[in-house]
Structure formats: C-alpha cells, structure tokens
Amino acid sequence: MRDTSTQKDFITAGPDPHPEYNTHGFRCKEFADIDMDNYILFSGSSHTEGVGVNPDQTFGHIVSAAMKCDQVNLGVGGGGIDTVEHNLFMWFLKYDKHPKAIVVEWPDYSRYIRDIYGQTNLCPAGMWSDSEFITYATDALYIKGEMVYRQLHKILPVPIIDVMYYKMTNNFYVDSHVIWHSEVDKGTDNSHAGPKTHLNTAENIHNALIR
C-alpha cells in the first residue's frame, strides 16, 4: 500500500500498488533499503521512470549497476521541471547523505503540476492537458524552466549530469555536455524509447561519470 504520508512530500510516479514501484511511488527499491553511502540519484520524466521498458532496462539501473551502487529513481511520467525541482529539494531535505552523482533528464518546459480535486498529492499535468492555459502561460513557464535549470546547478550539493530527450525549448541554450536520450527503438508502449536507447544513454552517462 502506498505510503500516503510520503505523498504529501514527494510528487510520485507509479500506480498504487504495483510490484515495480516502492511504497513511495517510485520505480526503485525502498528508500530504507538504499545504501546511502553509495547511490546515484536520477530525476526526470517518463524517460527516467522507464515507461516502455523493464526496470532493469532503464538507463538508471544500467548506470548504477556499472558503477556498483544503488539507484534512486525519482522519474515521474508526465512530470515537468517543477516536479524535478520539488522532488530534488525534498530528497535533500529528508536525507542527509549525498549521492555520488545527480542525473537529471530535463522535461519540456511547458509541463506543470496542479492540484486536482480528490487527489492527496499534487499531480503532473502534461502540456497537452490545457491548450488555453499554455497559450497564456508559455512565457512564464519558459522563464521558470530556465531559472530552475540554472539554480539547481548552482545550489545542489552534487554536480548534475544533464540528460535531454529534446531541448527544454527551442530558444533554450544547451551546453555541449548534455547527454541526449536519442531514440533508436521503441518500448513496449510503442511511444517511449526502448531498451537499446536506454543502453546507449546509460553508456554515455557512465562515460561522463568516470571521466
């Protein structure tokens, strides 16, 4: 059963209950079982969560196995930059021991979270959910996205490795160190990237970590 007290803290991902997700709603093992002296922290959208592939085929799992450490997967399907920001801040407020690295797959800037009646937690709202809202809020969301990107790089206690499936916006400057989650195959849902894509991304992340 989902830990509803934690839901007040984290914006969560998976179905409740589901054997591939922990009681906090994330696609990794229970936080209490994580080796806090030896782990990598992953955050992002459904690409990080690993929608369309098995848990052991996600780039987070592959990288962590290669680095011989645990993974914390805070990926949230449909989540936006505000979800990434919120969950990373919440992690460092709740847990004192820092990860070996932080890997962030940055979602599209126009995704956002909102309060939905009857839901305990704030919920991801994709850019497709309210075209009128996006029409009026696009500039504000873009500015918010760029601010969060730059501020998290400055204030988090561990350097961030950037992963992107697409640029956060066409106008956003992207440094050459960004790792692209470039799709070379399809997952089981025929919408998200497949195992070969995750493997390629994992190899690029691993190379960045061991430089």
Side-chain angles (χ1 to χ4, degrees):
M1 184 174 181
R2 178 74 54 80
D3 180 355
T4 55
S5 64
T6 302
Q7 272 215 318
K8 297 174 184 176
D9 297 328
F10 289 103
I11 298 169
T12 56
D16 178 24
H18 194 284
E20 291 183 358
Y21 293 78
N22 65 23
T23 53
H24 299 268
F26 294 105
R27 207 176 185 200
C28 59
K29 65 183 180 181
E30 295 295 341
F31 293 161
D33 297 330
I34 297 291
D35 182 354
M36 289 297 182
D37 293 314
N38 187 30
Y39 75 98
I40 298 175
L41 181 59
F42 295 84
S43 185
S45 67
S46 54
H47 299 292
T48 300
E49 183 184 347
V51 174
V53 298
N54 296 327
D56 61 356
Q57 294 174 318
T58 64
F59 60 77
H61 176 89
I62 296 169
V63 169
S64 301
M67 297 294 291
K68 295 181 170 54
C69 64
D70 280 342
Q71 68 146 336
V72 173
N73 186 342
L74 300 182
V76 177
I81 294 170
D82 48 5
T83 304
V84 169
E85 176 189 34
H86 178 90
N87 282 347
L88 286 176
F89 280 150
M90 190 56 59
W91 180 265
F92 285 103
L93 285 172
K94 291 173 70 70
Y95 301 101
D96 295 330
K97 293 196 173 181
H98 296 167
K100 296 167 66 109
I102 303 170
V103 179
V104 175
E105 172 256 315
W106 295 93
D108 187 280
Y109 79 99
S110 62
R111 291 182 175 182
Y112 59 98
I113 50 176
R114 63 179 179 177
D115 190 13
I116 297 178
Y117 180 78
Q119 297 296 318
T120 302
N121 198 16
L122 292 171
C123 300
M127 53 195 165
W128 53 83
S129 63
D130 190 341
S131 58
E132 183 178 358
F133 176 86
I134 294 301
T135 298
Y136 290 106
T138 183
D139 289 343
L141 287 170
Y142 163 67
I143 293 169
K144 167 71 173 176
E146 184 168 351
M147 286 176 59
V148 170
Y149 176 87
R150 300 192 186 284
Q151 288 175 353
L152 288 181
H153 272 277
K154 288 181 180 179
I155 65 179
L156 288 185
V158 179
I160 296 174
I161 294 175
D162 294 324
V163 178
M164 294 186 187
Y165 181 70
Y166 35 50
K167 288 202 301 185
M168 291 157 61
T169 171
N170 290 333
N171 298 322
F172 186 71
Y173 173 74
V174 175
D175 293 330
S176 60
H177 67 263
V178 167
I179 294 169
W180 294 100
H181 189 53
S182 300
E183 191 174 285
V184 297
D185 63 340
K186 293 286 189 182
T188 55
D189 63 346
N190 205 35
S191 177
H192 290 81
K196 292 180 181 178
T197 305
H198 278 266
L199 180 59
N200 290 345
T201 301
E203 289 175 349
N204 290 330
I205 295 171
H206 182 250
N207 290 336
L209 287 170
I210 63 177
R211 278 188 198 131

